[in-house]
Amino acid sequence: MKWLRPKNVRVRLTLWYVSVLGSILLIYSVSASIFVFLQWRLEVDGVAAEEVETIEGFLSFNSEGRVYLRGSAHDHPYPISMQHRLMEVLSDNGTVLYRNEPLGGRDLGGAPFSGEGVNSYSPRSVTLADGTRVRVVSRRHTVEGKATIIRIGFSEEELWRRLWQLIVGLLAVAPLALAAAGGAGYFLARRALSPIQRMAQRALEINAHQLGARLTVENPDDEIGLLATAFNETLARIESSFQQLRRFTSDASHELRTPLNAIQNVGEVGLRKRGNADEYREVISTMLEESGRLTRLVDNLLTMARADAERPRLALTDIPALEFVKEVASLLEVLAEEKGQILSTDGDESACVLADRMILRHIVINLIDNAIKYSPFGSHIRVRVFEKANQFVSIEVEDNGPGIPVQHRNKVFDRFYRIDEARTRETGGAGLGLSIAKWGAEAHGGGLELHCPPAGGCIFCLSLPLGDGRLDRCSLGVSLEPQRETEKSANLAN
Ligand code: ADP
């Protein structure tokens, strides 16, 4: 049965087309023939009814009580065509009163059925004893005071012969029509599918090294154009993912190489020159500093890889935002103090956010740490918490540092993006902090935006969904011991 399902779509379409057309032709031929046949029979019924009336005028009873037709066989006063009709006259109780010559001794319909010919003509088809199919029309009439049933019969053989001729004639042209339709269908299917074939060939040529190539869209509004457009859009997304991956790999290896080189260089220099214990200690502490930077970087890379690989599973709890922010700020207070900066927190005490505690801590530490890192000595860093009208809570970290130039404002959220390579290398950032913070905010259904007031400085606005608990239901949950917490925060703020 495999031949019934050819692989080629063109052939399949053509076969479908031909079989549907064939079925339609068959149904049409049969129903048209039946309709025409019924029409013919209706005409016959009309003529027969007229002839019943004509014949009735020539009927008479003889002395034996039988019916005869007035007028001689050669001189009939009724139309000559009627002489070939089959005629039968019955009495009311079914006694045969007359049968004409063409009918011979045959029975034209048997005993009268109830209501036959009463009030109107009764047409029906019967088969005579010799197998002849006949259309019989009967009508009751009173002839010379006696009730009779007059039957006129038309041979249906001619009608059936014409019916078969019609059917055969219609079906004879069907193979020709189907062959022509099949040829045209195949041609059209080939024409319609040829762009798909071209697209498939082009698509096969596109590989990982040619992701910039696109399919030609001949007509963007038709189905094939839409398919090509959708394919091109998918290619564009794949290309951009490839580019991102390449950039990420090269940036990540670059970032990893820098502290590794530093460790190696410092170690080699330390080994080469003879020094005292203090000098060795300094070498070791530099190496530890670099390895700490490496650890933070690897942590951040892991966070990014997880963020890319899976949908974040958030352990959402109601968190009193201001208390939480104060707790986190207190961990970073020491860094601000080192730079003589004032780190203040204020805002709406009752505002609660629905967030994952670890991720929220990561975000807030990144934002405050950046503010401390990039603001000058003696500046003021302000963290504010307030409830917004749209069921969100805003945590804003504002500093009066150098701000971010317009051309960098969108890009600072990109991975590995740093405005000033030299300056940020000094402070230890790899350009991942803000991208992780933005991902974290969006994973909560919130967002992270940057505003730079004309007077200078930066305001990072973190929006998170409002928690549905009241303050007494919210838990604080900064549970790590101070020392571990400091370590952790240093890890989180890259
Ligand atoms: P990094 O690890 O370099 O701090 P981030 O993703 O946290 O990476 O920040 C990206 C860049 O945005 C930083 O390198 C810095 O140039 C700039 N930036 C971030 N926060 C501030 C800020 N508060 N003030 C000025 N520049 C900032």
Side-chain angles (χ1 to χ4, degrees), residues 27-43:
I27 294 170
Y28 170 76
S29 306
V30 171
S31 46
S33 306
I34 291 174
F35 178 75
V36 170
F37 179 79
L38 292 177
Q39 264 325 100
W40 286 338
R41 223 163 55 173
L42 217 61
E43 280 170 25

Side-chain angles (χ1 to χ4, degrees), residues 401-457:
I404 294 180
V406 182
Q407 69 274 25
H408 296 291
R409 285 181 195 161
N410 280 333
K411 296 184 188 155
V412 286
F413 295 104
D414 291 350
R415 294 173 184 187
F416 298 108
Y417 192 82
R418 292 181 300 220
I419 296 174
D420 181 343
E421 292 280 329
R423 191 184 65 177
T424 47
R425 167 123 312 282
E426 201 182 292
T427 52
L432 287 175
L434 285 179
S435 65
I436 291 179
K438 193 169 173 70
W439 161 79
E442 285 168 359
H444 283 84
L448 178 62
E449 284 173 11
L450 165 65
H451 298 292
C452 292

